[in-house]
Amino acid sequence: MIDKRIAAIDGAIADIFDGAIVMVGGFGPAGQPAELLDALIRRRPRNLTLISNNAGNGDYGLAALLKAGCVKKVICSFPRQTDSWVFDDLYRRGEVELELVPQGNLAARIQAGGAGLGGIFTPTGFGTALAAGKETRHIDGKDYVFETPLKADFALIKALKADRWGNLIYDKTGRNFGPIMATAANCTIAQVSEIVPLGELDPEAVVTPGIFVQRIVPVAIARQTQTA
């Protein structure tokens, strides 16, 4: 019987190892798997490479993971905001590396990783410092730069509902990077607001098929576990 439910959130992330590449869904706080990140901070792995849309807000979520000293490199498109003081401080002190990627390229590179492609040619970034040292081509009258795919050991994402097979639906814009990250990771861990019986999810509404998800954790149980 296929059952991907994990009752204890700390158990769901227990095998995230030092040096792992970890994708984290979310567009700022929207769709960010906050409880999974809290559990990862308790685990305290070191030298992680973090792939995300941004480098954290305030002192919670991604920023808290950085502050805990877990991350050696950030690959993202939007590292600095008015409340990104944790990343700013670590970067200026040379304690975290940054690979800056235009947002469309970030999504396309993750999609390429999930599709098993060897890379993509994109016009975004051509002729700028972001293309330094990369292969370029002139195709059909336009200049392109070659970008490699992004893949991960783990993806931490947030969804609205799941069934025990791991099929996922999302809450409006909370969907953002979750679906493509799920395809590009060896192990996808999803925190969900509700787990419903098999057959209750409309197949036409499923965004991430369960084949791309290895573990699901209901948020209600996760919160009980943290306060137990």
Side-chain angles (χ1 to χ4, degrees):
M1 182 180 70
I2 298 174
D3 191 345
K4 300 177 181 179
R5 293 173 291 185
I6 304 292
I9 198 165
D10 290 279
I13 56 86
D15 58 348
I16 296 182
F17 50 87
D18 291 355
I21 301 173
V22 182
M23 291 180 175
V24 179
F27 192 93
Q32 188 176 115
E35 282 81 2
L36 285 174
L37 289 173
D38 288 345
L40 191 58
I41 292 167
R42 290 194 294 274
R43 167 118 173 80
R44 292 290 177 104
R46 291 293 187 260
N47 298 317
L48 300 179
T49 295
L50 178 67
I51 302 174
S52 184
N53 166 261
N54 65 91
N57 305 83
D59 294 294
Y60 59 89
L62 292 173
L65 186 67
L66 285 160
K67 191 173 184 178
C70 299
V71 179
K72 73 168 184 178
K73 181 177 180 179
V74 176
I75 301 174
C76 74
S77 61
F78 193 39
R80 299 192 66 214
Q81 305 170 74
T82 56
D83 59 352
S84 298
W85 49 75
V86 172
F87 171 80
D88 275 11
D89 180 58
L90 292 172
Y91 182 74
R92 292 178 190 279
R93 288 193 281 120
E95 295 185 14
V96 65
E97 301 172 41
L98 171 66
E99 181 178 339
L100 186 64
V101 184
Q103 187 160 267
N105 286 3
L106 181 68
R109 291 177 66 187
I110 295 170
Q111 288 173 318
L117 302 180
I120 57 168
F121 280 98
T122 170
T124 305
F126 180 86
T128 73
L130 295 177
K134 298 177 181 178
E135 179 184 352
T136 60
R137 288 192 187 182
H138 191 74
I139 303 172
D140 197 23
K142 196 168 187 177
D143 293 313
Y144 294 83
V145 60
F146 182 75
E147 296 285 357
T148 55
L150 288 173
K151 296 179 281 188
D153 299 300
F154 299 89
L156 307 182
I157 64 174
K158 179 180 179 180
L160 179 64
K161 293 182 181 181
D163 59 27
R164 63 175 172 83
W165 286 353
N167 296 306
L168 304 179
I169 63 172
Y170 298 83
D171 185 13
K172 303 179 180 66
T173 57
R175 173 172 171 170
N176 52 68
F177 282 87
I180 59 174
M181 288 181 170
T183 70
N186 293 333
C187 178
T188 295
I189 307 168
Q191 70 167 67
V192 299
S193 299
E194 183 181 1
I195 297 179
V196 301
L198 290 177
E200 186 167 318
L201 296 179
D202 179 358
E204 296 297 327
V206 170
V207 177
T208 299
I211 193 172
F212 295 115
V213 179
Q214 282 66 51
R215 301 168 195 166
I216 51 174
V217 185
V219 169
I221 293 178
R223 286 173 177 161
Q224 292 168 8
T225 302
Q226 289 180 24
T227 58

